[in-house]
Amino acid sequence: MEYKVDDRTLDVQAFLALADSVWPGQYDAGKTQEALRRTLNITAYEGGRLVGCLRILTDGYYFGTITELLVLPGFQRQGIGSRLLCLAREHAPTLLYFGAQPGVEEFYEKNGCTRGMQSYMIEKARP
């Protein structure tokens, strides 16, 4: 497994295939490319194939958030997500806040993450 921190070569189509395998949806490639440009992307490749990605959005000083942690379903439970979290902890310039999907809290807790504030969201329709 090859891991890359701040992966500036992350291909938008590879990322979209990964995202769609975990969270199926209609994603815009141009907007996704712009989003990838604005985040610190930590990736996992197996034989040149993108199998995992953790993205961090940060101001570099006060605040950072993990926008998503994605691992291809066939590669889950092999330590990839844990390694991506470890690399995020080592390389993020700030404390990281993030939400967790219901049912995966144990994964984050076993990886040394602590529960924090209750989170809220303000929804906005995608154009």
Side-chain angles (χ1 to χ4, degrees):
M1 191 69 56
E2 177 188 5
Y3 293 91
K4 295 182 182 179
V5 175
D6 198 16
D7 186 354
R8 295 291 170 189
T9 65
L10 178 56
D11 177 72
V12 68
Q13 294 304 324
F15 177 81
L16 288 173
L18 173 61
D20 197 53
S21 74
V22 178
W23 294 330
Q26 299 295 319
Y27 301 106
D28 180 280
K31 290 179 180 177
T32 300
Q33 182 66 52
E34 184 62 22
L36 293 175
R37 188 186 64 75
R38 295 176 185 212
T39 53
L40 171 66
N41 305 305
I42 303 173
T43 53
Y45 293 89
E46 179 63 42
R49 177 182 181 198
L50 181 67
V51 298
C53 183
L54 182 149
R55 295 188 329 121
I56 298 171
L57 182 62
T58 180
D59 63 11
Y61 186 70
Y62 290 108
F63 179 81
T65 186
I66 295 173
T67 62
E68 65 261 336
L69 169 55
L70 305 169
V71 177
L72 280 176
F75 287 82
Q76 293 175 3
R77 302 193 182 282
Q78 297 179 29
I80 297 167
S82 295
R83 181 68 182 140
L84 291 170
L85 275 176
C86 180
L87 290 167
R89 182 178 290 113
E90 291 173 12
H91 296 280
T94 63
L95 180 72
L96 295 172
Y97 295 95
F98 58 94
Q101 297 292 323
V104 298
E105 298 89 350
E106 185 178 322
F107 165 78
Y108 290 107
E109 290 172 7
K110 84 170 185 156
N111 280 285
C113 303
T114 56
R115 287 183 187 243
M117 303 177 285
Q118 174 72 29
S119 66
Y120 295 89
M121 63 185 210
I122 299 172
E123 292 190 51
K124 182 171 179 146
R126 287 188 174 171

